[in-house]
Amino acid sequence: MKKSRITGVGHYLPPNIVTNEDLSQMMDTSHDWIVERTGIEERRWFRPGVDTVTNMAAKASRVAIERAGIHAKEIDFIVFATITPDYFVPGNGVLVQRELGLQLVGALDVRNACSGFIYALSVADQFVKTGMYKCVLVIGAEIQSSALDKRTEGRSSAVIFADGAGAAIVQAVEPNSPGILSTHLHADGDYAEELYVKDPGSSREERLSAQLIESGSFHMKMNGSAVFKHAVEKFQEVIHEALEHNGKSPGEIDLLVPHQANLRISKFIQQTLALPDDKVFNNIMYYGNTTAATIPMALSEAWEQGKLHPGDLVCLAAFGSGFSWASALLNW
Ligand SMILES: CC(C)(COP(=O)(O)OP(=O)(O)OC[C@H]1O[C@@H](n2cnc3c(N)ncnc32)[C@H](O)[C@@H]1OP(=O)(O)O)[C@@H](O)C(=O)NCCC(=O)NCCS
């Protein structure tokens, strides 16, 4: 049986920086409130008519392909994690496939929100391990800013979510090489409505109507304190699950890359695992929460900053809408 390994990572951020000061011109909020509650100082919002989820993902993918030292034509499958696809149908996998000129490889979309990248990585890992594919492109990319309610009514989520794209190349390697050790996926649908975008849903007479738009039901809705409480609990559980499964302890982690949900959540997890600052990677301060894109974006930045060395024990963990949560333990 083969093992799978991340051999290249890349990311792309739209250049349009939106500061907390900019947000306070749109809604009743302040730089200090946002920094204190979330750690976010600025984020990127896409440029309508220029950036799309597809073209941002393609840019991130090209960087990952180059860093993996492969030719794009070696990719034999695509897994695309996003909850903000360019079209309602088809999904974003086929769109990035077209953009990268990879016709006729299979393309799968994953809709597990903030856990989406780890779910997608797990799918790639299973396909590679069983020998079905040798080189999988795994993407997390989002444009969240167009779904935010930018009035005071929507401020608790409008200050958090943002746009960006990240990608990873997952390749088959020999079983004794460094690579993905295990992935752990969980969900609890009892909490589906605690963090969700209700419309345009299909179970109504008309998917879109003036009344529905007026009701604002297409905006992201979040019960912030319920999300916070469950996130701190499940992040810890799923990280310990990954470590125990592989006979490792928290002290052996070289780099923890948590989903960038909220800096307070990351700091809390860091504290409970007793990890020093240099063993936890955070960049939410500059980019906000880009849902499925945070982990590949963070991996790409960590790699650029020389924080990932061959063989390092790296733990990825995420929590989000669903609720769903997941972890992956790997040797870089
Ligand atoms: C959203 C979150 C930052 C709100 O922080 P909080 O300390 O729980 O704040 P509350 O929701 O209790 O609101 C406290 C007050 O701040 C106000 N408030 C909410 N958002 C605000 C904003 N952006 N600016 C200023 N005030 C705000 C509330 O209206 C409330 O006012 P009130 O006391 O007069 O009613 C926090 O709940 C959180 O971080 N949750 C997790 C979110 C997350 O990680 N999401 C991503 C999941 S993948």
Side-chain angles (χ1 to χ4, degrees), residues 27-30 33-34 37-38 114 155-157 159-161 195 222-228 231 259 261-262 264-265 289 319-321:
M27 59 192 83
D28 183 10
T29 189
S30 69
W33 193 98
I34 300 170
R37 300 298 219 286
T38 70
C114 296
R155 63 186 174 178
S156 69
S157 34
V159 301
I160 290 179
F161 294 99
L195 174 54
M222 176 175 75
N223 177 347
S225 62
V227 172
F228 197 99
H259 161 56
N262 181 315
R264 281 197 302 161
I265 295 177
N289 177 340
F319 177 90
S321 173

